[in-house]
Amino acid sequence: MNPPSLPTGFIFSQSSLQDYADCPRRFRLRYMEQLEWPAVESEPALENERRQVEGQIFHRMVQQYSIGVPPGKILSQVSSPDLQRWWENFIQHPIDLPAHSRHSELSLSAPLAGKFRLVAKYDLVAIQPGNDIQIFDWKTYRKRAGNEFLVNVWQTRVYRLLMVEAGRLLFGDSPIKPEVISMTYWFTEYPTQPAQFAYT
């Protein structure tokens, strides 16, 4: 019997890379042996699942706002106190980049080691061609993650790298200088405490 291997054409993401960094066995079971990862049946897990669903709704609301849907119409989707608070925090602390074009829910990918690909889906990319590229990611964490943790997670690494490798397509195939890229995590519960990381 052959040992398990990654399927041909496997697409790596920050999530799968983080799984490997956190627990190689979990990566093997989930991505190589393609086994369902058992969910813990407990109240905290159900609460976490509810928060994830609300996080998805919040991301959709911000995407709609980014493409010009009126805030009052978006507000009609609010179905919980958490969503109400997150939305109010977002509206009261807007991202003010008037000279930038905005790309919401943007996906980029690039070849990786010949037979694989690396992919990322960005919540928001704000671009001032040649001068400034800001990557934003909305976080619905209960507690604000520390900068020391965030700078080392695979999402921070992958999103900035992939913007250099594949983002040039946004500029007519012109190369992107790493030093014009930054990544900001914006926290729904801590709207005045974003975490920003430059890239060099």
Side-chain angles (χ1 to χ4, degrees), residues 109-196:
S109 71
L112 181 68
K115 57 183 179 177
F116 303 112
R117 290 195 75 76
L118 179 63
V119 67
K121 186 172 183 180
Y122 300 86
D123 291 345
L124 178 69
V125 178
I127 298 171
Q128 192 176 37
N131 296 322
D132 190 36
I133 300 173
Q134 295 190 37
I135 300 165
F136 291 90
D137 193 77
W138 323 124
K139 293 297 184 195
T140 58
Y141 298 158
R142 282 185 191 84
K143 295 182 179 178
R144 186 196 183 284
N147 288 10
E148 306 78 23
F149 168 78
L150 290 167
V151 74
N152 291 308
V153 295
W154 277 97
Q155 183 176 13
T156 308
R157 298 172 183 185
V158 166
Y159 280 33
R160 295 178 301 176
L161 169 69
L162 203 51
M163 184 58 66
V164 171
E165 295 297 317
R168 66 181 181 274
L169 300 175
L170 300 169
F171 305 102
D173 215 24
S174 298
I176 294 175
K177 297 176 183 176
E179 58 268 22
V180 304
I181 297 173
S182 66
M183 180 161 182
T184 300
Y185 291 101
W186 187 87
F187 303 93
T188 54
E189 300 284 10
Y190 305 89
T192 62
Q193 300 175 40
Q196 186 174 48

Side-chain angles (χ1 to χ4, degrees), residues 19-86:
D19 273 343
Y20 183 79
D22 292 344
C23 179
R25 176 141 175 83
R26 181 172 67 210
F27 179 91
R28 178 185 171 128
L29 292 172
R30 182 178 286 170
Y31 300 106
M32 300 173 78
E33 297 184 23
Q34 299 181 8
L35 298 174
E36 290 282 336
W37 191 252
V40 179
E41 292 185 20
S42 67
E43 197 60 40
L46 294 175
E47 172 65 17
N48 186 49
E49 185 177 316
R50 179 193 63 78
R51 199 166 179 97
Q52 285 181 352
V53 168
E54 289 182 344
Q56 292 168 356
I57 294 169
F58 177 78
H59 278 71
R60 188 170 57 244
M61 291 167 68
V62 174
Q63 179 188 18
Q64 291 171 347
Y65 180 79
S66 298
I67 61 172
V69 176
K73 191 168 187 179
I74 297 170
L75 192 58
S76 67
Q77 299 173 57
V78 170
S79 58
S80 75
D82 284 343
L83 275 170
Q84 177 81 32
R85 184 174 62 258
W86 298 347

